């Protein structure tokens, strides 16, 4: 197999965890970027220096499948699919040590900026991370294109439309669209739906804000690209029928 070719779709949805904290972030990445470029994107999510990162890939059963070790290889050349998890290990971090009793060395931001032996100076000298203006511009343009595409999809959806929801890694579920727009709980465009079955997470309210009304456990919010509008009649599930 050619390690320098993208073997599946152009994009992949991944869960990102890191050794610095217990948070989980979900993001969409191009498979055509190199592992080094991928590490650069992870810097914006983790704050870690891309040069000190190790990356492990876990499947949906949370079993490690491989490690992203070759910086020049494309992300898509590794066996990575939607819903898998990338664990970021910052080899520069010393979070496991008890540093509470260690005398801290403090330096002003101005004096720190003047030093030439710091990570900040190294990144600036080599135009890496936030000091690479061309890369930052490219990332900003890429994000803007993704937001425009997301908005275009959202504009095609209407409250009351019947739809089928297909989130990667989950079974298809039929629903009715109850809300389309921006939310306070996450950035981007979201679709609020009322599922035909009690397979949701809420009643249309998230973090105390009500976006629509429906019975408890029937409501949910999904990204616009996970919704397909069509003639999807409600199915008779006979939920009260005794077996």
């Amino acid at each position: 197999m050619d390690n320098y070719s993208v073997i599946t779709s152009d994009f992949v949805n991944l869960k990102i965890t890191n050794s610095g904290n217990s948070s989980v972030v979900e993001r969409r990445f191009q498979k055509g970027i190199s592992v080094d470029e991928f590490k650069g994107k992870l810097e914006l999510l983790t704050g870690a220096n891309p040069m000190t990162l190790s990356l492990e890939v876990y499947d949906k059963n949370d079993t490690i499948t491989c490690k992203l070790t070759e910086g020049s290889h494309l992300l898509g050349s590794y066996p990575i699919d939607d819903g898998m998890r990338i664990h970021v290990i910052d080899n520069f971090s010393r979070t496991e040590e008890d540093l509470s009793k260690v005398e801290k060395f403090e330096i002003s931001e101005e004096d720190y900026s003047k030093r030439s032996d710091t990570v900040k100076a190294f990144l600036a000298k080599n135009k890496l991370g936030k000091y690479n203006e061309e890369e930052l511009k490219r990332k900003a343009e890429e994000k803007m294109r993704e937001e425009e595409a997301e908005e275009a999809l959202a504009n095609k959806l209407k409250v009351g439309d019947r739809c089928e929801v297909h989130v990667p890694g989950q079974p298809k579920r039929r629903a009715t669209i109850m809300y389309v727009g921006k939310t306070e709980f996450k950035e981007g465009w979201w679709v609020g739906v009322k599922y035909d079955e009690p397979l949701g997470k809420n009643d249309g309210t998230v973090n105390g804000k009500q976006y629509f009304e429906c019975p408890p456990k029937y409501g949910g919010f999904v990204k616009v690209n996970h919704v397909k509008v069509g003639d999807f009649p409600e199915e008779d599930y006979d939920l009260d029928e005794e077996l």
Side-chain angles (χ1 to χ4, degrees):
M1 181 183 296
D2 183 0
N3 285 332
Y4 294 90
S5 62
V6 179
I7 58 177
T8 54
S9 61
D10 293 336
F11 291 90
V12 62
N13 296 304
L14 299 172
K15 298 177 181 178
I16 307 297
T17 58
N18 72 85
S19 57
N21 56 60
S22 59
S23 64
V24 181
V25 179
E26 294 188 30
R27 287 291 187 274
R28 185 167 176 256
F29 299 96
Q30 287 184 319
K31 284 192 172 184
I33 61 175
S34 68
V35 171
D36 283 340
E37 290 174 319
F38 181 53
K39 288 183 177 180
K41 293 179 179 294
L42 294 178
E43 179 189 13
L44 302 177
L45 299 177
T46 65
N49 181 0
M51 299 185 66
T52 65
L53 299 184
S54 297
L55 306 179
E56 297 177 343
V57 181
Y58 290 80
D59 61 20
K60 296 175 182 178
N61 296 320
D62 215 30
T63 301
I64 187 169
T65 60
C66 64
K67 297 182 179 181
L68 308 186
T69 57
E70 298 296 332
S72 61
H73 287 194
L74 299 184
L75 183 63
S77 67
Y78 288 89
I80 299 177
D81 294 316
D82 284 341
M84 296 180 72
R85 179 169 68 92
I86 304 294
H87 185 61
V88 181
I89 302 173
D90 184 3
N91 298 301
F92 191 73
S93 174
R94 301 174 64 189
T95 56
E96 295 181 359
E97 295 185 22
D98 181 9
L99 302 179
S100 60
K101 299 180 181 180
V102 178
E103 183 178 355
K104 297 179 176 60
F105 172 73
E106 297 183 356
I107 185 173
S108 68
E109 182 67 26
E110 181 180 357
D111 289 338
Y112 180 78
S113 299
K114 294 178 180 178
R115 295 182 58 167
S116 60
D117 58 345
T118 63
V119 172
K120 180 179 180 179
F122 176 85
L123 294 175
K125 179 180 179 181
N126 293 277
K127 295 183 178 181
L128 298 173
K130 64 180 180 180
Y131 300 99
N132 188 333
E133 294 183 1
E134 292 184 1
E135 178 66 10
L136 290 177
K137 181 179 178 181
R138 186 184 67 79
K139 290 178 180 178
E141 291 175 346
E142 178 182 312
K143 182 178 181 181
M144 183 176 66
R145 287 194 297 270
E146 290 180 355
E147 290 178 348
E148 290 175 347
E150 198 174 64
E151 182 176 3
L153 288 174
N155 289 333
K156 297 179 180 179
L157 306 176
K158 301 188 301 295
V159 172
D161 282 346
R162 288 289 297 168
C163 67
E164 192 171 67
V165 177
H166 189 193
V167 178
Q170 300 180 14
K172 294 181 180 179
R173 291 171 286 178
R174 292 186 177 183
T176 300
I177 295 178
M178 306 292 290
Y179 176 86
V180 181
K182 299 291 188 71
T183 67
E184 294 182 1
F185 57 83
K186 269 189 179 180
E187 64 179 12
W189 290 80
W190 290 85
V191 182
V193 298
K194 174 188 173 184
Y195 291 111
D196 293 351
E197 302 176 84
L199 299 175
K201 295 183 178 180
N202 53 60
D203 61 355
T205 299
V206 179
N207 296 336
K209 180 176 176 61
Q210 186 178 58
Y211 295 91
F212 62 91
E213 294 183 5
C214 74
K217 300 297 183 180
Y218 276 81
F221 286 85
V222 293
K223 299 300 290 181
V224 294
N225 58 317
H226 295 157
V227 176
K228 180 181 180 181
V229 172
D231 183 16
F232 298 109
E234 292 190 32
E235 297 179 340
D236 184 7
Y237 293 101
D238 294 326
L239 296 178
D240 296 327
E241 181 179 342
E242 293 184 3
L243 298 179

